[in-house]
Structures are given as structure tokens and as C-alpha cells.
Amino acid sequence: MSTVTDSIFLPATAARFDNLVTLYPVKRSALVPMLLYAQDEIGYVSDAVVAEIAQRLDLLELDVRGVLSYYSMLRTEPAGKFNVQVCTNISCMIVGGYDILDHCKQRLGIGHKGVTPDGQFSLEEVECIGACCWAPAMQVNYDFHDNLTPAKVDAILDDYAAGRGEDVK
Amino acid sequence: MPDVTLTVDGQKITAPAGTLLIDACKTAGIQIPAFCYYPGLSLQAACRMCVVRIDKMPKLQTACTTPIAEGMVVSSESPEIAQARKATLQLLLGNHPLDCPVCDAGGQCELQDMTFKYGAAHSFYQEPKNHREEQQWSPTVYFDRPRCILCYRCVRMCGEGMDVYALGIQNRGSSAVIAPNIPASQSEDGLQHLDCEECGMCIDVCPVGALTSDTYRYKTRPWEMNHVATVCTHCGDGCKTSLGVRQTIDGSEIVRGDNRDKSGINGDFLCNKGRYGFDFANSPERITQPMLKQADGSHKAVSWDEALRFTGKKLREIREARGGGSIGVVGGNRLTNEEAYLLQKFARSVLGTNNIDHHRTADYVTFAAALSGHRDRFASQHDNEKAPAVLLIGGDPTNEAPLTAWNLRSNVRLNGARLYVANHAQIKLRRQAKAFLEIAPFGYGAVAAYLAGDDAAAQSAAHDGENLGRFREALRGEGSLLILIGSELRGNDLRRLVEFGLALPNTNFALLSDYVNAHGAADMGLLPDMLPGYQPLGGTHDYSSEYGERFSNTPGRDMVGIFDAAQTGDLAALYLVNANPVARYSVDPASLSNTFVVVHDMFLTETVRLADVILPSANLYEKSGSVTNSYGDLQLVKKASDRAGVRTDLELLVRVADAMGADVRKLVPFGKKPQANGIRADLGQTRGAQSGEADRHAVWLTSNNLEIKLSPFDPFAVLDEIQRLVPGYDLLRLQLMSGNDQHLAPAAPADLVRIEPTRRDLVLPAEDTLFTSGTLGRYSPKLVELADKYTHEPVGIPAD
Ligand code: SF4
Ligand code: SF4
Ligand code: SF4
Ligand code: FES
Ligand code: FES
């Protein structure tokens, strides 16, 4: 069976994974949550993450890759320290979501899925993040920022750059 | 299951409950198009081509996932359905490169056929197509992404069918793509690759040209080849392989191997050797001229006339001067039955020797003896498809007999068969096994004894005694059992095992060997002590009168004996037909320096280099005849390709006998006289692709064994004699000619049962793998390339 002795994860995460596999009728059901937690800890889903998760769930790495590639929120490359996700879905779009995105692109000097050279910021255009009531909205890591204007975005990004932003993972 | 009656297009059809609508229609002759559906694999319903209208159901339904129901009313074609299918095709063609004129699948592509039928050739898409370069995933598999219609057949075939799970699906929606198991991030060249069994099954089931093979891609078009269905030369399973043949300046070359009409013993299966391992036939290294060894040890090409006259004269002199007993004969495992039979007849009646052997890859003599009197207990390959319970003891079919492994997996998956595996190694088929017994090293005899009831043998049979006990109990509890036996079991061990099986209520048996006609070689008596049909030389038989005055009843030397004789200077001549004992048995070349060595062969093997006379011979794909697989299923071999300068072993034997001054009519019953049995002729219809149109009368004559054999090189003339003289070979000609396999069982005579204990065990398991095939495999560039690539076991762990 698949007890992992030399886990690449922190002890707490590894323990969480040990538990996770016991919660479902079939082990592979734990795959998506595991990928998410792993990404939170490592920053992205590396080959080593794929290998360990496959081992934990008795899956082929190919199976893990199949699922991993299906979800756009799972990454196989490192993102910036602060991953800026700007919504351009319909509610945000009609109140200027694209302006916000363009502003971010300009200010950070990167495009969709890009990472700034210093590794501080990365940018993604995302679908609805469930903040339509306060559109336009964006999410930095797990933190929401809403009713945005370009000026507000600048302030938010300044805060993060200066280490004043909440770094919620 | 009870039958269900439904109406399709106004026609009442009946099929067992639970049948899928698409299958029920097919059986009734109503074709429903399908891309993703593939019989025997899990349902996918990915393509929507099979949609039909079912009364009382709101929308069009997929026939591939709908089980039939009583009173169902279905229409399979209507303007509505045609429109739906057309729309599906338009979507599929949205990003399709439309490169049919160069695509391998062109002319036999399911997408092309459907586009012709539903007329979706005009695309509404204005956007540029998303082009991707073709990728080489492995030495055999190429992937052309834009042609892929995402039917998932390849993924399911590789996983469910092959138990390899090397293919998967990645990304989502319109960017979804089939992906192999080595990601770009983990390969040396930064590209995706496959680590798998290289069977080509994914390519075979791909309905379009998205997966193509290195061997065939961009070589030719399906309609430019002749297609000849013959038998794969590589392992003992005897798959039917259809060879696509094209003319060349010096004969014809094989360009493709597949299982085109899926009609053979192997259904839709072929492993990589049957599919790609024919390339030795096209090798530039083939010997195409007779050669004689010169005083300085070199070989010089000579005319056929010179070579044959020299060989005949020398053999005759040796026979006269030193007696037939000074001559040894070794036959190959890839000869047809007719050639193997003729070789031993030539040895016994012309050379006057019983020093005959072949590379034995399983102990068929003991097997026949142990089962003598139980002709109904010999299993056919087909039994693997449906036996409710199977014991596999020894062997490793995944590597050594891939069709057997395929059938066992399918039987377990589709019919819930119970597979019991007993082996010293963790063979891959244990993954399908209900119970796996790990046999202790050298413990096969002990296991056989233990199974047969000798509890004292438990200690040396397996380390896990408890498991051993449970294993035997489970077997004893089976109402009907198929026992597949690997070459580890022979002699008394084999006999014990068969005795155990015979004590159970309803068992049958098969002994697995390697190479296409290893079984036939034994059946045909390429043995020093056995005549064809396992009739002991010293027993009662008719051969003394049949084989003339040179025939002797005294058993000759076996393989080891022959080379011992060479060592001591007692072997004056050695006649080798497609055998490489020098490499296989590590014979010291020096020991043969005073022996006159004649070989029929294709390549300059270790043995051939030592020969005094080299007669270039044809391989199995260049001749006609019959072969018998491990199970005793006999099949027709048809001549597919041709190579200028080579001759079949059958012809060579006749010509050498003739050059020795023997009466060819006594050797092969052909022509009008003198034998009543020889008043037959083959009018050409058995010659495969070269036969032209068969005339019905001739077919009737042939199938009734009445046609006139006009030539001594006609294998069917030899087959006549086999049928007449070899017990057990009571075959049906019509069955043979229609390309069907038929199951034969040796009718071992009473003498055989007594012959045992002192007989030497000379079985040398071939231990070939997926990518090797004895000496011949070394001359197949594709097999060599694959064997180089895979130094480890292919990956594969199941998903739950
Ligand atoms: S084992 Fe290889 S060649 Fe065979 S189906 Fe799988 S991917 Fe294709
Ligand atoms: S490669 Fe062929 S078999 Fe595989 S999904 Fe694509 S079209 Fe189907
Ligand atoms: S399973 Fe054996 S007979 Fe069949 S294709 Fe493979 S090597 Fe040839
Ligand atoms: S559309 Fe932007 S948050 Fe819902
Ligand atoms: S064949 Fe039925 S959906 Fe593909």
C-alpha cells in the first residue's frame, strides 16, 4: 500500500493527506483537494507533487496529470508571491472588468498567466469569482478586493508590494 | 438472458435482454455509425454519431449506450438523424486538417466514410485551424493531434484491453488532447513519449489517422497493396496477421502487418511482433544465393545447380561410406507442418538416420503421453476466451504469448472468469488473478505433486503454506478448469500436473511453447525417438513399409547426442533447416570442423557461418502450408511476399533428395503415379495472393482432397500424406482453406504411455519477450530497436 515515508510536504499537510484518503469510498476521490492543498504549500503542482500524490492514491502519474490539466486553477509552473486574479466575467465586464485587467497588465508589465521578473506578482484573467454584487472584483491569492477602480488597484498593489497586504494562502 | 423484441426501421428484431441497441442492430444487419463505441471496451458515448430516434424518448439517444427493451420502436435513419450526425461531423471537422490525400487512414477511415455518407464536407468555420506538428511518441507510435476526434478508443484499449494504461486525456474542451505517459518535463528531449508494450492496438482501433505506426506511415495506400492473411511467425499463439504486400524489383516486400478483417483466431488482437516484426523479410542482409565454403574458409556464391549437385553428392558419399547414423538433422520451429514432416521423412528415408531433433521449447512428448486416451482434453486457444476458470502455472504469457494474455484479460474483464496464477515470478497477469501463488524457486515439481495430493511436497512448493492450501482448495472447488502450463513443467512434473487435472471433473489443458510451429515440429516427429504423431519408433506403426529400406526402428541421437558425436568425430554430416544450435546450445564451432554442414537459412547466423553449403531459404511469410500453435490449433499459411533467389525449405528438401538420387515420388506423393494417394493436383487456389480467382470446381476438389497435385513442391501433397499417416491430424480441408483455425489433438498411441522415465529432458525454454524472437528477432530492425529501448518492465498500475 501507499504509505509515504519521505513526503515532500510539511508534516501537517502530510498528516492531512493521510486523513484525506480515508474520507472517501475510493481513494482517488481525494485527488482534487490534494492537488489544491499541495499547490498552496508548494506554490504549484510540480513533478514531485504529481509523483507523491499518485503514490498516495494508487494512481498513475498520467491519471494525475489528466485531472491536473483539466482545471485551470491548478498550476504546473510557479506563480508570483501574489497571484492577482482579475475577473472579466459578465457582471465585472459590464462595469469595467477589462479596464481593471488592462490596468493590471500595464502596471505589472505582464500579461495573462505572466509573472513579474522579481517573482512578486503574477496575473491571471479568471472567470466569475462569486463577487458579482461588488463588481468589478479581483482576488489576490485567497483575498478578495471589490468595487475596484484603477486607482484602488494601484493602492492595493502598492500595499502588497510593501508587504502590507494580507498574504492569505 | 431472455430475449427481447423490438422494432428498428419497421423491422422486428430479437436479441438477448441487456444487449446494446447498436449491437442488436448490427446483428440484424442494420449499421449504426459509431466512432467511440468499440466492442469489448467500456462505453464512452463521446462522439454522438450513433444517435437514433427512440419512440417515447424526448431526444435522440445514443445507440451505443442504450440497452434494448421490449417493444422499443427505433428509427436508425431519418432526416433528423442525418442532420444530427452531419452536425457532429461538422464539429469534428472544425479543426481537422483535411489531409486525407496523405493520411495513412485515407481509404479506410471511419471519419472519411461518414463524411462521404452525411456530406459534411463544407465547413462553416472561418477561423484559422489550430495546427500541431506530428509527434513521435515511441519507436512505433506517432500522434497527429489535429486528426484526433477524441473518441477515447485508444485510451480505453491501452488501459482496459492491454492493461498498460499508457495513454490518457489532458486539458479540457476544445484543447483536450490524448497524452502519453512520459510528460515532456520528464523526457530527455523535452517532448512527450510513451513507455509501453508497443502493441499498436491503439493505432489499430483509432478510427482515423491520428495514431500511426512508424512502420507504415506515409509508405503507401491501402488499395495499393495485396493483403494476404497468414500466420505470425513469432510466438506459439499463432495469430492471423494480414500482410500488406507491394511489388518491388526483386520480388515483393511486406509494408504492413495488421489484423485487417479481425477474422482470425486472434480476433482484433495483434502484438507488436505480429504487427511490425515482419521487417526481417525485407532485410538487405538476406542470403539470396547458394554458397559453398572454400578451402580458405570463405563462402563463395555458386549456381543453384552446382550447390545442389555438390550437396547431393557429398551427402550420398557420406551415407554410403559412414552410414546414415553419422548424419544429424536439426529442424527449426518456424517450418510449416509440411516442411517439418518432410524433413524427418527425408532424414529417415533418404539420409537413413534417426538423429533428428529441434529446439524443444516445451515437452510435448510427455504432454501427449500424459493425455493419451483423452483427446477431448486438449484445449484450444479459443477456450481462453470463455473458460469460467483458468489455472496458469508457469510461463509468462504477457511476454511470451501475448494473445494468450490478451484472451485471459478479456475473459476476466468481460466474463468474470476466475484466473489462478501460480508462478515463481511476479508475472503481470497476477493483476487479473483471483488468486496468486508464489512458487518457491525450483518448486514447480513440488507444486504439481502437492496439487496432485502429496502434502509432503508443500514445504518445497511455496513459502506461504497457507496460501498454497487455499489455492489447491479453490482449484478443487472449480467445476470446470482450463489449465495452461508453462515450459517450466516437463517430464514427471508435467505428468503429475496433468494427473491432478484429470482427477478434477471437467478440465482441459494446453502446454505453452514458443515460435509459430514449435508444436508442429514435435507433432511432425522432429525427434530422435518419435515418429509423427508421437508414435514411438520402437512401437507399432506403418512407417517401415512407408519409408522404405533405409528406415530404421532404432531411436537416434537427440540434440545433445548429435553434438556429442561431433565432439568425438562421429558426426560426418549435419543438416540444419532454419536452426541456430551453435548459438542456442553454445556449440563449440571447432567441434564441427570435420563435419559436412548443410544449412537452409536466411541470414549468416553463428551456425550458418560454419556451413559448407548454404542454401538460401524463404521464411514463413514467403511460403504456403499449415502450422499448429501451442494449443493444437492448425491454420493455413499463405504466401505473402517473395524474394528473388530464395526457395522454400520444402522445395530445397525435395531438390536435395533428388540430387542424392532418391525417388522424389516416394518422398512426396504427387502426380498421377505411382501412389493411389497421390492422384491429386492443386490448381492454384491455395496460393494466397498469387492465386488469382479460384474456380469453384477447383475449390470443391481441393476441399475434398481430390485435386491433382502436379508438383513435388506442393505442400498440399505433403499434407495429404500427413493426413493419411499422422494420428490426430484428421483435419478438414474446407475449414483449412477458408482460413479458419481447427483444433487438433494428438491421438497418442498406447506405446507412448510406457516410453517415459529414462527419456532425456531437453526442453530449453525460449524465454523470448515482447521484443525478442530467437535468432530471427535479431534480424528484425524494429524488434532490435524496441528491445534496446526497453531494458525494464513496461509500466502500468491500475486505477481503482
Ligand atoms: S501499449 Fe503502447 S502501443 Fe499498445 S495500446 Fe498502449 S500506447 Fe498503444
Ligand atoms: S487518437 Fe484516435 S483513437 Fe485516440 S482519441 Fe484520437 S481519434 Fe480516438
Ligand atoms: S501474440 Fe504471438 S502470434 Fe500473436 S502477433 Fe504476437 S507474436 Fe505473433
Ligand atoms: S462576474 Fe466577476 S465576480 Fe462574478
Ligand atoms: S458511438 Fe455512441 S456516442 Fe460514440
Side-chain angles (χ1 to χ4, degrees):
Chain A
M1 285 294 284
S2 50
T3 21
V4 175
T5 45
D6 49 349
S7 176
I8 59 166
F9 299 108
L10 298 172
T13 314
R16 186 177 205 175
F17 286 178
D18 289 342
N19 178 46
L20 210 53
V21 294
T22 65
L23 301 182
Y24 305 92
V26 286
K27 282 204 273 183
R28 65 184 301 162
S29 306
L31 177 55
V32 172
M34 259 191 199
L35 284 168
L36 276 170
Y37 293 135
Q39 171 165 295
D40 285 348
E41 183 179 315
I42 312 275
Y44 68 107
V45 183
S46 61
D47 282 357
V49 169
V50 171
E52 181 170 333
I53 292 184
Q55 192 190 348
R56 285 177 173 275
L57 300 180
D58 276 344
L59 292 173
L60 291 170
E61 293 186 18
L62 184 67
D63 297 332
V64 176
R65 288 209 164 75
V67 171
L68 163 63
S69 61
Y70 186 91
Y71 293 104
S72 58
M73 287 168 74
L74 292 171
R75 296 185 290 273
T76 52
E77 302 285 338
K81 185 168 179 220
F82 306 110
N83 187 28
V84 180
Q85 303 149 68
V86 181
C87 173
T88 56
N89 242 170
I90 193 151
S91 308
C92 294
M93 182 186 75
I94 39 190
V95 292
Y98 277 107
D99 296 339
I100 301 296
L101 180 66
D102 287 345
H103 184 75
C104 288
K105 283 183 179 166
Q106 211 176 10
R107 148 108 197 210
L108 298 172
I110 53 178
H112 172 60
K113 297 264 183 198
V115 186
T116 54
D118 61 1
Q120 281 289 302
F121 289 98
S122 53
L123 180 63
E124 267 183 280
E125 175 183 3
V126 297
E127 308 301 330
C128 177
I129 54 176
C132 312
C133 297
W134 308 279
M138 73 178 191
Q139 196 184 337
V140 180
N141 293 348
Y142 281 120
D143 220 12
F144 281 84
H145 301 278
D146 40 39
N147 287 321
L148 297 174
T149 60
K152 199 167 167 190
V153 168
D154 279 342
I156 292 166
L157 295 182
D158 285 343
D159 279 349
Y160 278 105
R164 291 190 301 269
E166 291 173 66
D167 179 14
V168 190
K169 273 216 164 157
Chain B
M1 286 238 200
D3 278 355
V4 162
T5 303
L6 65 158
T7 312
V8 182
D9 300 338
Q11 181 187 340
K12 282 232 176 313
I13 66 176
T14 303
T19 308
L20 293 168
L21 183 53
I22 195 168
D23 286 333
C25 288
K26 186 172 168 193
T27 312
I30 300 165
Q31 194 200 350
I32 295 183
F35 289 139
C36 68
Y37 178 70
Y38 193 86
L41 298 182
S42 64
L43 305 181
Q44 190 82 40
C47 73
R48 322 314 281 187
M49 266 315 276
C50 65
V51 288
V52 294
R53 168 63 64 190
I54 303 177
D55 275 14
K56 305 202 182 90
M57 294 207 187
K59 292 195 269 184
L60 294 180
Q61 301 292 317
T62 46
C64 72
T65 55
T66 310
I68 55 171
E70 188 62 43
M72 212 178 222
V73 179
V74 181
S75 69
S76 79
E77 280 290 357
S78 71
E80 178 200 26
I81 294 168
Q83 179 50 44
R85 292 180 184 159
K86 182 172 172 180
T88 296
L89 288 166
Q90 277 168 337
L91 288 169
L92 288 178
L93 294 175
N95 194 47
H96 188 283
L98 303 177
D99 57 349
C100 307
V102 299
C103 175
D104 282 359
Q108 51 178 35
C109 171
E110 297 174 40
L111 180 61
Q112 210 177 30
D113 293 348
M114 287 304 119
T115 306
F116 273 110
K117 181 160 179 196
Y118 292 101
H122 294 285
S123 173
F124 299 127
Y125 274 94
Q126 301 297 317
E127 291 76 10
K129 300 210 175 189
N130 187 0
H131 178 70
R132 286 284 183 285
E133 287 302 320
E134 200 174 14
Q135 297 172 284
Q136 181 171 19
W137 279 351
S138 81
T140 62
V141 184
Y142 278 73
F143 179 58
D144 192 324
R145 179 179 173 180
R147 290 183 192 149
C148 172
I149 60 171
L150 290 173
C151 67
Y152 302 79
R153 276 192 198 175
C154 53
V155 176
R156 286 172 288 152
M157 177 52 81
C158 187
E160 298 164 22
M162 293 305 299
D163 192 28
V164 173
Y165 295 92
L167 296 174
I169 179 99
Q170 286 181 2
N171 303 335
R172 176 167 37 132
S174 63
S175 50
V177 60
I178 301 299
N181 57 357
I182 308 291
S185 62
Q186 284 171 23
S187 80
E188 279 171 21
D189 57 5
L191 299 170
Q192 295 177 305
H193 288 291
L194 267 174
D195 178 352
C196 71
E197 294 184 4
E198 308 277 353
C199 62
M201 287 301 288
C202 50
I203 302 172
D204 197 83
V205 295
C206 181
V208 296
L211 288 167
T212 54
S213 75
D214 175 62
T215 298
Y216 177 67
R217 64 193 271 281
Y218 302 135
K219 277 259 180 71
T220 184
R221 316 308 312 267
W223 57 88
E224 282 170 347
M225 296 179 283
N226 271 328
H227 302 276
V228 183
T230 186
V231 181
C232 167
T233 187
H234 291 291
C235 86
D237 275 335
C239 294
K240 190 187 212 181
T241 173
S242 300
L243 300 175
V245 184
R246 208 171 47 174
Q247 300 307 310
T248 58
I249 37 161
D250 62 347
S252 55
E253 66 167 347
I254 309 173
V255 271
R256 186 174 80 172
D258 71 359
N259 46 353
R260 196 161 179 255
D261 59 2
K262 311 196 189 317
S263 67
I265 194 167
N266 43 324
D268 44 11
F269 180 76
L270 270 186
C271 83
N272 102 89
K273 287 194 269 189
R275 221 181 271 286
Y276 311 122
F278 56 74
D279 50 354
F280 61 84
N282 306 335
S283 166
E285 289 174 46
R286 288 281 297 267
I287 308 170
T288 53
Q289 275 177 303
M291 290 193 269
L292 298 184
K293 185 147 89 186
Q294 307 300 301
D296 65 353
S298 67
H299 284 105
K300 185 177 141 221
V302 297
S303 70
W304 274 104
D305 190 46
E306 186 181 346
L308 290 166
R309 252 187 306 124
F310 176 70
T311 310
K313 185 165 144 288
K314 278 289 280 189
L315 286 175
R316 194 183 168 122
E317 282 167 13
I318 289 170
R319 184 187 66 194
E320 303 314 326
R322 299 189 53 187
S326 70
I327 307 177
V329 173
V330 177
N333 277 326
R334 306 181 202 262
L335 308 180
T336 61
N337 286 324
E338 292 74 15
E339 291 169 336
Y341 176 87
L342 197 69
L343 176 59
Q344 64 82 37
K345 183 175 180 184
F346 166 71
R348 292 187 160 115
S349 70
V350 178
L351 297 178
T353 180
N354 280 320
N355 303 336
I356 307 168
D357 213 334
H358 68 287
H359 168 205
R360 307 180 201 171
T361 59
D363 188 356
Y364 282 114
V365 175
T366 304
F367 191 58
L371 278 168
S372 88
H374 299 280
R375 284 195 70 191
D376 53 339
R377 299 299 194 108
F378 289 87
S380 154
Q381 174 75 260
H382 292 295
D383 290 322
N384 285 325
E385 297 160 12
K386 45 189 191 298
V390 182
L391 165 63
L392 170 67
I393 175 163
D396 179 8
T398 310
N399 282 305
E400 298 163 356
L403 171 63
T404 298
W406 162 268
N407 280 332
L408 291 175
R409 286 192 304 266
S410 306
N411 193 2
V412 169
R413 184 175 84 251
L414 302 173
N415 310 324
R418 294 171 298 280
L419 175 64
Y420 301 89
V421 176
N423 208 297
H424 64 284
Q426 302 274 323
I427 62 167
K428 193 174 165 196
L429 273 172
R430 77 183 188 285
R431 286 152 46 100
Q432 277 71 33
K434 179 166 183 276
F436 174 69
L437 173 67
E438 184 166 353
I439 296 181
F442 309 105
Y444 282 94
V447 169
Y450 178 81
L451 290 177
D454 175 5
D455 288 348
Q459 202 64 9
S460 31
H463 297 313
D464 184 348
E466 226 172 274
N467 187 19
L468 182 67
R470 275 198 308 271
F471 199 83
R472 183 171 69 181
E473 274 326 295
L475 292 176
R476 284 177 173 166
E478 289 294 349
S480 150
L481 188 65
L482 164 62
I483 303 185
L484 299 182
I485 309 167
S487 53
E488 290 88 345
L489 286 130
R490 39 206 198 238
N492 276 331
D493 299 346
L494 177 56
R495 200 183 267 274
R496 288 294 272 281
L497 183 70
V498 171
E499 276 161 15
F500 154 72
L502 286 174
L504 296 177
N506 195 3
T507 39
N508 50 11
F509 304 83
L511 180 60
L512 303 178
S513 55
D514 209 340
Y515 311 122
V516 59
N517 210 24
H519 196 176
D523 281 1
M524 290 302 119
L526 286 184
L527 293 164
D529 51 350
M530 297 287 154
L531 288 161
Y534 306 100
Q535 304 176 84
L537 263 175
T540 30
H541 54 71
D542 299 334
Y543 286 83
S544 310
S545 53
E546 290 283 344
Y547 280 14
E549 79 273 12
R550 287 210 174 76
F551 178 74
S552 141
N553 266 334
T554 319
R557 300 175 194 270
D558 57 23
M559 184 78 82
V560 171
I562 289 172
F563 290 102
D564 285 350
Q567 203 70 266
T568 57
D570 294 324
L571 191 72
L574 181 59
Y575 199 100
L576 300 164
V577 179
N578 248 294
N580 186 10
V582 171
R584 187 68 81 167
Y585 295 88
S586 317
V587 173
D588 173 13
S591 69
L592 288 170
S593 51
N594 292 317
T595 304
F596 176 64
V597 181
V598 182
V599 302
H600 301 184
D601 217 307
M602 281 190 287
F603 298 104
L604 275 178
T605 67
E606 294 83 345
T607 306
V608 174
R609 283 176 211 285
L610 307 177
D612 296 278
V613 181
I614 304 173
L615 303 175
S617 64
N619 60 63
L620 195 74
Y621 300 147
E622 295 162 350
K623 56 176 76 153
S624 312
S626 68
V627 287
T628 308
N629 72 3
S630 293
Y631 296 78
D633 303 309
L634 179 123
Q635 297 177 86
L636 181 67
V637 169
K638 284 195 202 157
K639 181 177 163 69
S641 63
D642 212 346
R643 186 67 175 251
V646 307
R647 307 205 172 173
T648 66
D649 296 308
L650 192 96
E651 174 174 347
L652 290 176
L653 288 170
V654 174
R655 289 198 187 274
V656 170
D658 181 45
M660 285 180 71
D663 181 354
V664 168
R665 281 177 193 280
K666 290 220 172 96
L667 197 61
V668 182
F670 76 102
K672 291 213 175 79
K673 280 179 179 177
Q675 294 185 20
N677 299 309
I679 312 179
R680 289 157 198 184
D682 183 303
L683 302 178
Q685 66 281 7
T686 57
R687 298 303 185 286
Q690 282 72 15
S691 67
E693 288 300 307
D695 113 77
R696 281 180 198 194
H697 181 61
V699 171
W700 185 85
L701 283 175
T702 312
S703 61
N704 287 289
N705 225 1
L706 290 171
E707 83 287 17
I708 314 152
K709 305 294 191 305
L710 294 171
S711 147
F713 310 133
D714 185 342
F716 275 48
V718 180
L719 187 62
D720 287 347
E721 183 163 312
I722 294 176
Q723 264 186 284
R724 189 167 60 80
L725 290 181
V726 182
Y729 272 67
D730 36 8
L731 51 103
L732 301 166
R733 286 293 177 106
L734 191 55
Q735 182 76 350
L736 178 70
M737 286 179 48
S738 29
N740 297 327
D741 51 283
Q742 52 188 312
H743 189 55
L744 305 179
D751 314 273
L752 181 59
V753 188
R754 282 180 271 113
I755 161 153
E756 268 311 297
T758 55
R759 209 170 169 269
R760 252 202 294 213
D761 167 23
L762 287 185
V763 172
L764 179 66
E767 283 174 348
D768 273 309
T769 66
L770 278 177
F771 311 122
T772 64
S773 181
T775 300
L776 186 64
R778 304 197 326 244
Y779 295 94
S780 157
K782 191 47 88 185
L783 290 184
V784 170
E785 185 185 1
L786 289 170
D788 274 356
K789 176 178 172 194
Y790 292 98
T791 45
H792 62 283
E793 282 275 296
V795 292
I797 308 162
D800 58 18

